[in-house]
Amino acid sequence: MGAGATGRAAAVDRRGRDGANVSRLLFVEDEPQLLRAMGITLRARGFEVRTAVDGRHALAEAASCPPDLIVLDLGLPDMDGVEVIQGLRGWTRIPIIVLSGRTSGQDKVAALDAGADDYVTKPFSIDELMARIRAVTRRASATEAGPVVNIGRYRIDLAEKRVSRQDDAGVGDPGSLTDPGSLTTAGEDGPRSLRLTPTEWRLLEALVRHPGKLVSHRQLVNQVWGPGVAEDSSSLRLYINKLRRKLEPDPTRPRYLTTEPGMGYRFQP
């Protein structure tokens, strides 16, 4: 078994024992010894650990390889950790645990108000940090379990990343996040299940998690492609049209994925 497979197996095993639904963790810290020590410790506990030594690196890393959880120091060399939290919260709900030597109530309130999920002060024990990770990820799982929504004849299960025809629920091979194909078994009334690409899934989730709400072009680009990506209305329109062709009863007259000209898109339940 290769090193990558071994690491993934260890992560699955550790999640089962620790009860934390986390495998990929981004650790942001500018103190080299602590960063190295925590990387070793967390990897030994089955995590896939990526690191960043400053705020800009952290934001770029989170966008290019989204983790399941972020552990973040506030005292970074290029920007304050609260700014990093605000930057992340502009496009993601990834759980964030602050790990900082700042002990004042004002610092804690500022970090939590910016969107941090928990705050651990230094010095700390690894057992305490693991307990906080478990608690935060349990809360995240409870709030983001993923609803089941209906679009036309299709049932969208966001938690399982599956799309199936409602009259054939549980029949056939449901579409998945990782399968890049388009359609599967077709019948007289259309395909029995759909396969969406990862980009299509992210776009669909960004819309259906806010039923009836206008989601701007900029918000969709941030959530689908990450911050720092130039707003590209043509690419966004292309993927919206792909979803409509797969999900709408009449893609030329969309009923569920509607356009607000010049502003964005809306999921109409």
Side-chain angles (χ1 to χ4, degrees), residues 123-137:
F124 65 97
S125 72
I126 187 63
D127 288 338
E128 177 189 6
L129 180 60
M130 291 303 304
R132 299 296 185 101
I133 289 174
R134 290 193 294 271
V136 164
T137 52

Side-chain angles (χ1 to χ4, degrees), residues 211-233:
K213 179 181 176 181
L214 171 67
V215 186
S216 72
H217 295 131
R218 180 72 260 171
Q219 288 174 304
L220 289 172
V221 170
N222 282 347
Q223 292 184 52
V224 176
W225 287 280
V229 176
E231 188 172 321
D232 184 351
S233 59

Side-chain angles (χ1 to χ4, degrees), residues 76-92:
L76 300 173
D78 60 339
M79 58 196 301
D80 191 84
V82 171
E83 295 179 83
V84 178
I85 297 169
Q86 292 169 337
L88 290 165
R89 285 295 175 254
W91 64 277
T92 183

Side-chain angles (χ1 to χ4, degrees), residues 21-53:
N21 188 26
V22 171
S23 62
R24 298 184 307 276
L25 188 149
L26 174 60
F27 198 90
V28 186
E29 170 64 56
D30 67 327
E31 204 284 302
Q33 290 183 331
L34 178 59
L35 190 65
R36 184 167 54 253
M38 288 305 299
I40 293 171
T41 300
L42 291 167
R43 289 186 184 100
R45 288 175 174 256
F47 294 93
E48 296 176 25
V49 181
R50 301 180 76 93
T51 60
V53 296

Side-chain angles (χ1 to χ4, degrees), residues 36 57 82-83 88 111 118 134 137 144 158 161 177 186 207 216 226 233 239 242-243 247 250 258:
R36 184 167 54 253
H57 185 193
V82 171
E83 295 179 83
L88 290 165
D118 205 347
R134 290 193 294 271
T137 52
E144 301 204 13
L158 296 177
K161 295 289 189 294
L177 174 66
L207 289 167
S216 72
S233 59
Y239 278 95
K242 286 183 177 181
L243 285 176
L247 297 171
D250 182 355
T258 63

Side-chain angles (χ1 to χ4, degrees), residues 128-188:
E128 177 189 6
L129 180 60
M130 291 303 304
R132 299 296 185 101
I133 289 174
R134 290 193 294 271
V136 164
T137 52
R138 280 196 300 269
R139 293 197 297 269
S141 297
T143 58
E144 301 204 13
V148 174
V149 297
N150 296 325
I151 296 181
R153 65 169 66 93
Y154 293 106
R155 178 179 183 272
I156 317 296
D157 189 327
L158 296 177
E160 297 295 329
K161 295 289 189 294
R162 293 179 178 177
V163 182
S164 56
R165 212 171 66 190
Q166 292 190 73
D167 56 357
D168 290 313
V171 176
D173 177 31
S176 69
L177 174 66
T178 55
D179 192 316
S182 55
L183 305 179
T184 58
T185 312
E188 292 181 0

